[in-house]
Amino acid sequence: MAEENQSRAADASPAKEVVVTENVVEAADPVKSVAPEPDEDPKKPVQEKAPADEAETMATEEEMKKPAASKDATAGGVTLAVAFKEEGSLSSDLPEFEKEALDELKQLLHSALANREFSPPPLPPSETVPAAPAAGSAEEKAEEVRVPLEETAQKHPAETEGEKGLPVEDDDAKTVEAIAETVVPVAPAPVAVEEKALVGPPPPTEEVLIWGVPLLGDERSDTVLLKFLRARDFKVKDALIMIKNAVSWRKEFGVDKLLEEDLGLPELEKVVFVSGVDRDGHPVCYNAYGEFQNKELYEKAFGDEENQKRFLRWRIQYLEKGIRHLLDFKPGGISAMVQVTDLKNSPGPLKKEFRQALYLLLDNYPEFAAKQVFINVPWWYLAFNRMISPFLTQRTKGKFVFAGPSKSPETLFRFIAPEQVPVQFGGMKGENDSNFAVTDAAYVTNIKPSTKQIIEISVQEPCTVVWELRVLGWNVTFGAEFMPSSKDGYTVIVEKTRKMAAGAEPAVLKNCFKVSELGKVILTVDNCSSKRKMLLYRYKLMKSSEIS
């Protein structure tokens, strides 16, 4: 409950001198973390200029070699990353050599589908026609020949005798043997049957789908084919081999049937989950491998070979559902995700099962990562990354971003707005938040050491002021009060000034105050530490009936 100050506001003297003041009034439109500077050209690549105290933020070798940009894109105190724009899938927008590669791949695929090269080959004719019956038919023909010869010998004995008086039976036997030897290799019957079987209409062209999209003949087909081409640097034959291998693997793995299976692993939904979108609209998938510190969960996923196979099937199932439900393969649509991998408390250097899953995803799900952001990166992961680096294309390595523990939230905010980042990763997106939605933008500002940040919320009519606030790393003091506009009004203490220690709970402070007269709500954050602090907050003015 608010406590009334016994002294009148008009006579009260200020308790502390305000060092840094940010006036936030209803009429003013402060710079939000989601909007770039007005004079910034969004098409111009911008490099982030890292301050001296950001040594813990790590990047790929390629990024470190790039020259520093002359101007940074910032929003609300957060340096924004260069926006990732998906490469076009409209053939009219492609460079000439990419168009030619796409057309050539389509021709090769059309021929492969017509020849049913994506289906298992039929059994050879020698396996469908047994050899024994062919030999038997020849013997039967020999017997059929012998019978009329014997009858002929009985009817015309004089004609069958030789000049030297050889017995008739010897000549007949030699004649039959000669005929039999002549009949056996000919075997005309099977040849006639085989030729007859080839006569008829040609089989229909095979239809092959990947992620529910036909390889040819669909408006989404070009987007799928371009993923394989880009994964193989537009080497057409290599891309065709990759497609064939992916189709073969999907059949062997049973991906289409897997979508309908219940694998009974609901616990894993806190390890891998999709939450929100990045600044360009890509769905964001979080991989929190630190959850495997739970021994029971780890055993359930990797305890034995059978569990490992089930975990892999669950991971593929989750990815396939996300691709089909969240991505749009139509030209100009969103066809890639942002992958955020949290390595905090992850179980040591990646085990064999992790590596196998990684290689499987690289081979069969090309160009599905708009960005790969690794946060809370320990020392050992950098060594692992150097180990797998030779197996990754330059395009893939260019999408990797690494950040140590103290810089992880700030790194995420370069790509994802704070209101879209879950609370557990330093953002403002909580579960079952009835007063704020992901569309309610959060403000971001930095508080210098030994300074204050004052947020003034102007109130022009009776309402209820609702706010959320957090300081990354806390170790500050915070207080809130209402100051009426009337000189005869009393200052009301909404929240007493209190110390918020590092790691304080709750991570996000939430409160509201019902205002019945004109005035302003003042939120004060005092950074008493020697380090810069990042402040995130948002507020709204609501009618009492809207409060839940």
Side-chain angles (χ1 to χ4, degrees):
M1 296 291 296
E3 299 178 0
E4 293 191 359
N5 194 332
Q6 299 300 323
S7 61
R8 293 183 177 271
D11 300 330
S13 58
K16 290 186 180 181
E17 180 181 358
V18 176
V19 181
V20 177
T21 302
E22 178 187 1
N23 292 325
V24 183
V25 295
E26 187 177 18
D29 186 15
V31 178
K32 297 184 180 180
S33 62
V34 294
E37 293 286 348
D39 59 343
E40 188 67 32
D41 185 0
K43 297 182 180 178
K44 181 178 179 181
V46 181
Q47 293 289 339
E48 180 189 9
K49 188 181 294 182
D53 62 341
E54 295 184 1
E56 196 168 355
T57 302
M58 293 160 278
T60 58
E61 296 180 3
E62 292 74 14
E63 291 178 348
M64 294 174 65
K65 293 179 181 178
K66 294 179 181 178
S70 59
K71 185 179 178 73
D72 292 340
T74 59
V78 178
T79 303
L80 302 182
V82 177
F84 174 86
K85 184 178 180 180
E86 287 194 50
E87 294 169 282
S89 54
L90 285 170
S91 58
S92 57
D93 297 337
L94 299 175
E96 192 61 33
F97 83 96
E98 293 185 5
K99 290 181 186 178
E100 294 175 357
L102 180 60
D103 291 340
E104 183 181 349
L105 180 59
K106 288 181 178 180
Q107 293 175 4
L108 292 177
L109 279 173
H110 188 276
S111 176
L113 292 171
N115 295 330
R116 306 187 70 81
E117 294 179 14
F118 289 92
S119 297
L123 295 175
S126 59
E127 296 182 14
T128 58
V129 181
S137 61
E139 293 174 3
E140 292 175 1
K141 286 183 175 295
E143 291 295 333
E144 292 174 359
V145 171
R146 178 175 294 146
V147 173
L149 284 176
E150 291 178 353
E151 294 177 354
T152 303
Q154 293 175 359
K155 293 180 180 179
H156 307 282
E159 296 178 4
T160 57
E161 291 181 1
E163 295 179 355
K164 297 182 180 180
L166 294 176
V168 175
E169 294 179 0
D170 292 343
D171 289 340
D172 288 345
K174 291 181 179 181
T175 305
V176 171
E177 290 175 3
I179 294 174
E181 290 176 0
T182 306
V183 171
V184 171
V186 174
V191 175
V193 173
E194 188 174 327
E195 292 177 353
K196 186 176 181 180
L198 295 176
V199 178
T205 302
E206 185 179 14
E207 184 179 39
V208 177
L209 289 80
I210 297 184
W211 310 303
V213 180
L215 290 179
L216 293 176
D218 190 280
E219 65 174 336
R220 302 165 295 172
S221 299
D222 284 1
T223 303
V224 172
L225 298 184
L226 284 169
K227 287 183 178 294
F228 287 94
L229 282 170
R230 286 169 177 147
R232 290 297 179 262
D233 294 327
F234 285 89
K235 297 176 182 177
V236 178
K237 292 184 179 179
D238 290 348
L240 178 62
I241 293 173
M242 188 180 187
I243 292 174
K244 287 184 175 181
N245 290 340
V247 171
S248 176
W249 171 81
R250 293 175 69 84
K251 290 180 179 179
E252 293 175 4
F253 203 82
V255 172
D256 293 332
K257 293 181 180 179
L258 178 62
L259 293 172
E260 307 300 327
E261 289 186 26
D262 181 7
L263 298 173
L265 292 171
E267 305 90 341
L268 292 179
E269 293 182 3
K270 60 183 178 181
V271 179
V272 181
F273 58 92
V274 175
S275 179
V277 296
D278 75 343
R279 295 183 183 274
D280 299 312
H282 300 98
V284 182
C285 181
Y286 293 87
N287 304 272
Y289 293 137
E291 295 291 338
F292 285 125
Q293 270 202 325
N294 184 321
K295 293 183 178 180
E296 182 178 351
L297 181 60
Y298 184 87
E299 287 297 320
K300 196 165 187 177
F302 307 111
D304 53 37
E305 186 175 353
E306 189 64 29
N307 287 350
Q308 293 172 19
K309 290 181 180 179
R310 187 170 62 153
F311 170 76
L312 181 60
R313 292 183 66 79
W314 179 88
R315 187 65 183 89
I316 296 299
Q317 181 191 66
Y318 192 89
L319 178 59
E320 282 283 335
K321 288 182 177 180
I323 289 174
R324 298 185 186 221
H325 297 158
L326 301 175
L327 301 185
D328 179 11
F329 290 99
K330 295 179 181 179
I334 298 294
S335 62
M337 299 182 184
V338 171
Q339 294 285 340
V340 176
T341 301
D342 182 16
L343 297 173
K344 183 179 180 180
N345 299 325
S346 57
L350 292 189
K351 311 237 177 232
K352 179 181 178 182
E353 52 269 16
F354 283 99
R355 296 197 299 271
Q356 289 177 343
L358 174 63
Y359 297 143
L360 186 148
L361 294 176
L362 289 174
D363 290 339
N364 298 287
Y365 295 89
E367 298 295 313
F368 272 102
K371 211 72 178 174
Q372 289 270 10
V373 184
F374 297 85
I375 59 176
N376 298 310
V377 178
W379 64 268
W380 56 261
Y381 192 83
L382 296 179
F384 170 75
N385 182 64
R386 284 193 294 269
M387 182 177 67
I388 67 171
S389 183
F391 301 98
L392 305 176
T393 65
Q394 198 66 27
R395 289 172 52 82
T396 301
K397 288 187 286 187
K399 298 176 182 178
F400 284 13
V401 177
F402 301 94
S406 67
K407 300 301 177 184
S408 291
E410 186 173 342
T411 301
L412 284 179
F413 299 157
R414 292 170 54 199
F415 306 98
I416 311 167
E419 63 271 11
Q420 294 279 352
V421 177
V423 171
Q424 68 188 90
F425 298 112
M428 300 287 283
K429 185 180 181 183
E431 296 182 2
N432 304 320
D433 193 339
S434 56
N435 292 327
F436 291 94
V438 292
T439 54
D440 296 320
Y443 302 87
V444 182
T445 187
N446 291 316
I447 310 176
K448 295 180 180 180
S450 302
T451 58
K452 292 180 182 179
Q453 188 74 34
I454 295 178
I455 304 167
E456 296 183 354
I457 306 172
S458 178
V459 180
Q460 303 298 328
E461 61 181 0
C463 65
T464 298
V465 182
V466 182
W467 67 84
E468 291 183 342
L469 176 146
R470 78 177 298 178
V471 175
L472 299 180
W474 286 110
N475 197 22
V476 298
T477 58
F478 170 73
E481 62 183 7
F482 173 73
M483 183 177 292
S485 299
S486 172
K487 294 182 178 180
D488 297 332
Y490 293 94
T491 298
V492 179
I493 304 300
V494 179
E495 287 191 53
K496 289 183 178 180
T497 300
R498 54 174 169 158
K499 175 74 174 179
M500 302 295 295
E505 293 292 341
V508 179
L509 288 179
K510 302 181 180 183
N511 206 345
C512 62
F513 181 69
K514 187 175 181 179
V515 180
S516 57
E517 57 181 321
L518 303 184
K520 56 185 176 181
V521 174
I522 302 175
L523 310 178
T524 305
V525 181
D526 187 359
N527 180 14
C528 303
S529 71
S530 59
K531 295 183 179 180
R532 176 177 59 90
K533 297 291 183 179
M534 180 173 285
L535 168 66
L536 293 80
Y537 66 94
R538 55 183 173 177
Y539 65 89
K540 60 171 56 176
L541 309 181
M542 306 175 67
K543 296 179 180 179
S544 300
S545 58
E546 297 175 342
I547 302 297
S548 57

